[in-house]
Amino acid sequence: MEEEQQGIRTEICSSGKEKPKSDQLEFGTIFTDHMFMMDYTADKGWHDPRIVPYEPLNIEPSAMVFHYGQSVFEGMKAYLTSDGDAQLFRPQRNFSRMNHSNSRLCIPPIDEAFALKALKQLVGLEKDWIPEAEGTSLYIRPFIISTEAFLGVAPSSHYKFIIILSPVGAYYKEGINPVKIAVEHDYVRTVKGGTGEAKTGGNYAASLKAQEMAAEGIAQVLWLDGVERKYIEEVGSMNVFFKIDGTVVTPALNGSILEGVTRNSVIQLLKYWNVPVEERKLSMEEVIQAHKDGKLEEAFGAGTAAVISPIGELVRGEKHIEINEGNTGAIAKRLYDTLTGIQYGKIEDPFDWVEKVKDLKQTTLKASG
Ligand code: COI
């Protein structure tokens, strides 16, 4: 069954997959029936936008992405409200960040407004896949890969922009419970002038070794700056915040830290609540000293996948720094409740962050059947 909706060719697949039980979801293992795709060639620009059944891609082994890693991605979520509506959280920021990453990776920019329209159409069609259980959502993964069949090192002249959807539960098995994070000393994630503030696969590949070497029970590693190995950067799957003597401090964006959408939302909420918040350089020594002085009150990570993830313990070599006696702090809890409250439509959204998505399943099926 094929039709055209708002310039997007839509091919409905007839055999729907079985939906998972929403209270048993893990992160990123199940994918929905359809995906969005469009192509880029140097002569036509971005073209042939389409929603098609989710299936393996047919790509040449010589496609440049496999060899030189020219790719970018984003992460966002669709939430189901108690009224049964689907909504997105600040999706424009993700597409605008995608273009920022595109620019760093020499990938041609996408039309952000069109990408949002395509996303809404895909999510509207797959609305039945948004899980209902508390803390679950439909994770959205837009990504671009270079597909030209060529082994020279140069920007590709062919790309695919794809959006896939995955019903998910909590990113960390700990859920909202505090995680243990190891401070990384031997490896670095990126340096200034590198690709750290772009969301590109290579940054994540570079992070795997440290994660593998970290001890059992460590959820993630905390990266320090790549030059002095002194200043805190981010965790890789989330930005980090430390509450020191009443002030919430987060590393300033310095060119090697990802500008998180949740990070920005946390800062806005803290300002709105008149909680002192600072974006600045923060050394590991300062955190250790604050802990010694009894002034390290809380630590938490913030990201789309992780939401707000309290940090109960920092491990640095033999040293273990327990934070807030390993418990979730009051600020982390308030942020989690407020962000998820806005995302699931349970509380008022004073910032106009959420965007409703129309249910298209019925109209599309009627139109095509
Ligand atoms: C997200 O929070 O959406 C991310 O992209 C982090 C991730 C690598 C799971």
Side-chain angles (χ1 to χ4, degrees):
M1 287 183 252
E2 199 171 304
E3 62 162 308
E4 175 112 358
Q5 289 211 352
Q6 300 187 70
I8 301 173
R9 179 161 63 83
T10 304
E11 195 188 315
I12 306 286
C13 75
S14 45
S15 66
K17 297 178 213 163
E18 201 178 316
K19 311 264 182 325
K21 291 206 169 58
S22 78
D23 55 355
Q24 287 171 15
L25 285 170
E26 297 176 0
F27 183 86
T29 54
I30 293 167
F31 302 95
T32 69
D33 292 324
H34 299 90
M35 60 185 171
F36 170 81
M37 192 180 311
M38 66 179 174
D39 302 306
Y40 178 93
T41 51
D43 54 336
K44 288 190 182 164
W46 286 110
H47 63 275
D48 195 13
R50 57 210 185 268
I51 290 175
V52 290
Y54 177 96
E55 62 186 6
L57 301 173
N58 188 359
I59 296 179
E60 298 225 21
S62 52
M64 295 177 85
V65 67
F66 297 133
H67 307 276
Y68 309 124
Q70 198 192 2
S71 72
V72 297
F73 73 93
E74 271 304 322
M76 49 185 128
K77 285 174 173 171
Y79 309 85
L80 200 63
T81 69
S82 56
D83 298 335
D85 292 332
Q87 53 189 34
L88 302 169
F89 184 74
R90 311 187 75 187
Q92 302 85 349
R93 279 188 88 88
N94 290 86
F95 287 126
S96 125
R97 185 173 65 184
M98 184 169 229
N99 267 341
H100 187 67
S101 304
N102 283 341
S103 158
R104 180 65 181 83
L105 273 289
C106 298
I107 295 174
I110 52 163
D111 176 335
E112 294 167 25
F114 181 76
L116 180 55
K117 187 170 97 171
L119 172 63
K120 284 184 168 173
Q121 198 147 318
L122 179 66
V123 172
L125 180 68
E126 301 286 64
K127 184 168 169 261
D128 292 355
W129 280 91
I130 309 180
E132 293 173 3
E134 189 164 343
T136 63
S137 55
L138 187 66
Y139 187 75
I140 299 165
R141 173 52 61 87
F143 63 104
I144 300 178
I145 50 172
S146 51
T147 51
E148 184 182 348
F150 177 51
L151 295 184
V153 178
S156 172
S157 60
H158 291 57
Y159 299 88
K160 277 190 188 300
F161 171 41
I162 301 174
I163 307 178
I164 55 173
L165 307 175
S166 172
V168 296
Y171 185 69
Y172 295 118
K173 68 173 176 18
E174 290 86 347
I176 173 68
N177 297 318
V179 291
K180 213 193 249 193
I181 302 274
V183 183
E184 178 53 43
H185 254 275
D186 295 329
Y187 298 100
V188 296
R189 174 181 168 272
T190 182
V191 289
K192 275 188 205 68
T195 55
E197 68 174 11
K199 209 157 172 64
T200 180
N203 292 340
Y204 297 80
S207 75
L208 298 177
K209 189 71 186 169
Q211 180 65 37
E212 193 183 70
M213 307 273 290
E216 267 294 297
I218 297 287
Q220 294 269 294
V221 301
L222 177 66
W223 297 103
L224 300 182
D225 76 276
V227 178
E228 295 177 74
R229 310 216 180 164
K230 194 170 155 191
Y231 296 101
I232 292 171
E233 298 241 305
E234 60 163 81
V235 161
S237 53
M238 51 190 195
N239 296 109
V240 282
F241 293 79
F242 295 83
K243 182 162 174 255
I244 301 173
D245 202 15
T247 298
V248 180
V249 185
T250 192
L253 301 173
N254 60 358
S256 61
I257 295 174
L258 191 79
E259 184 174 1
V261 177
T262 315
R263 174 188 182 280
N264 176 279
S265 311
V266 163
I267 294 171
Q268 283 200 52
L269 278 170
L270 292 172
K271 288 185 176 161
Y272 185 67
W273 294 333
N274 290 321
V275 174
V277 53
E278 291 176 1
E279 294 177 73
R280 62 168 170 85
K281 273 184 150 184
L282 174 65
S283 70
M284 198 53 223
E285 288 318 309
E286 182 180 339
V287 169
I288 292 170
Q289 192 58 49
H291 180 255
K292 279 192 191 136
D293 297 344
K295 292 181 175 169
L296 178 59
E297 293 156 2
E298 280 190 48
F300 57 90
T304 298
V307 197
I308 297 293
S309 182
I311 300 173
E313 190 175 333
L314 283 174
V315 181
R316 191 198 199 199
E318 298 298 298
K319 251 193 230 148
H320 288 245
I321 303 171
E322 199 185 49
I323 304 168
N324 195 28
E325 296 174 349
N327 297 317
T328 299
I331 282 286
K333 173 87 173 68
R334 187 175 179 199
L335 284 164
Y336 179 87
D337 289 345
T338 308
L339 276 173
T340 55
I342 292 174
Q343 289 163 341
Y344 291 90
K346 287 188 203 152
I347 60 176
E348 199 206 331
D349 168 18
F351 306 96
D352 263 340
W353 280 340
V354 293
E355 285 231 10
K356 292 247 183 272
V357 177
K358 263 201 223 131
D359 185 344
L360 295 177
K361 187 94 191 173
Q362 293 314 318
T363 38
T364 309
L365 287 177
K366 258 188 230 141
S368 52

